[in-house]
Amino acid sequence: MDITTRKPQNLAIHTSPKNDLHLVQSDIPSLEPHECLIHVRATGICGSDIHFWKHGHIGPMVVTGDNGLGHESAGVVLQVGEEVQNFKPGDKVALECGIPCSKPSCSFCRSGQYNACPDVVFFSTPPHHGTLRRYHAHPEAWLHKLPDHLSFEEGALLEPLTVALAGVDRSGLRLADPVVICGAGPIGLVTLLAANAAGAEPIIITDVDENRLRKAKELVSRVRTVKVEIGETAQAVGERIVQVLGTEAKLVMECTGVESSVQAGIYATRFGGTVFVIGVGKDFQNIPFMHMAAKEIDLRFQYRYHDIYPKAISLVAAGMVDLKPLVSHRFALEDGIKAFDTASNPAAKAIKVQVVDEEN
C-alpha cells in the first residue's frame, strides 16, 4: 500500500506533566528492519490513559514529558521492514503493546513471564508514546493477525479482554465456581464475559452505577447484580453479596482497585477462597487483616498479561465472547480530546469509548 495516498498528517493524542490533553502532529515513522508500519484504525481509551492524564502517574510510572496515550489498538499493515516474514501490506492486525527485551539474560523473558520484564517498552506508559495515533511502527513479533470477519473495533477490544483472560487463568477459576466480580466498568464487563465463557456459576457483579449493571445483564442475562450504595459499609455490601449469591464466593475478581470494594469482596469470600485484584488503586490500602487470616483467604494480584492474545482472538472469532456491545461511543481521531472528555465524565454513561480513523 502506498503511504503517499493516505492521510498525510500523523495525528496523536498526548498528555504532559501539566495534566492537559492536546492533539499533536508528528512525522510518519521510519521502519526498523523488524517493524511494520500500521495505520491504526481503532483505539480504545483505557482507565490508565485517563489516570496518566488526570493524575500524572500510576504508582512509580510518572509522566515527566510530553507523552502519547493509547494501547488498545488494531489496524492495517501499510509497509513492512526488510526482515519481516509473517506480515504483508493489507493484513488486519491487533497490536500487543508490551514489548519485552527478549534478551537471553532476562530470566522473565526466558521463562515466558515477559510481562515482568524490567526493560519492557509498554506503549503509552511513560516515557514511551502510545498507539493513539494515525501511523505507528510496531515490531512484527508483537502483532497478531485478525480473521477477516473481525472488525478493527473488536481487534482493539482484545487488549482489555486479554487482561480479563489472564485474570481467569491466574485466579484458577473452574466450572461452576461461584464468582463475584466487583465493578462493572470496561474491565469488569470483559471479566464477566470471560467468567461466563469459563463456566462460572453463579455470577454476581457489583457497581454503584445502575446503568452499568443493566449493561452487564444485557451481556450475560444470568448474571445477578448488586448495586452498591454510596456510604454503605464494606461489610454490609459483602453481606448483601452473599445473600444474593446464595453462598459465599469461592472467587472474587476485583476490577475497580477501590479500597472499599476490595474490602467488600473480602467479606463476601468463603473460607479458603481467593480475592483476585485486577483493578488499579491507591498505592497503600487498608484490608480486614484478621478476618482474612481467620478464613485463610488468599489475596492475589495481576500485572498485565502474557501469551494471551491468540486465546482471545480464538474466543472472539468463534463467537464465544461478543465484544461488540461494549463500545458505547465512537470519535474520529481529530476529535480525540472530546473522546477523553466523554470517557472521563460519569454523566456520559460511557462503557468503552473508541477513537477510530477511517481509511481515507
Side-chain angles (χ1 to χ4, degrees), residues 208-257:
V208 298
D209 187 333
E210 190 66 49
N211 179 64
R212 290 189 167 188
L213 293 176
R214 283 195 295 270
K215 174 58 72 172
K217 291 287 286 186
E218 291 174 13
L219 294 173
V220 178
S221 60
R222 66 185 178 90
V223 71
R224 307 172 191 179
T225 62
V226 170
K227 185 177 185 298
V228 178
E229 303 297 335
I230 302 298
E232 190 175 11
T233 68
Q235 189 163 1
V237 174
E239 290 171 355
R240 285 206 294 124
I241 290 171
V242 172
Q243 184 178 21
V244 175
L245 191 64
T247 182
E248 291 178 311
K250 181 179 180 181
L251 172 65
V252 171
M253 303 189 78
E254 210 299 313
C255 299
T256 73

Side-chain angles (χ1 to χ4, degrees), residues 164-165 168 173-174 177 179 181 189-201 203 220 222 251 253 321:
L165 293 177
V168 167
L173 189 157
R174 297 292 183 266
D177 278 351
V179 170
I181 299 168
L189 292 175
V190 291
T191 299
L192 170 62
L193 292 172
N196 179 59
E201 170 58 31
I203 309 175
V220 178
R222 66 185 178 90
L251 172 65
M253 303 189 78
V321 173

Side-chain angles (χ1 to χ4, degrees), residues 28-43:
I28 295 172
S30 56
L31 292 181
E32 297 293 332
H34 64 288
E35 290 181 331
C36 297
L37 181 66
I38 309 299
H39 179 189
V40 180
R41 295 289 303 277
T43 301

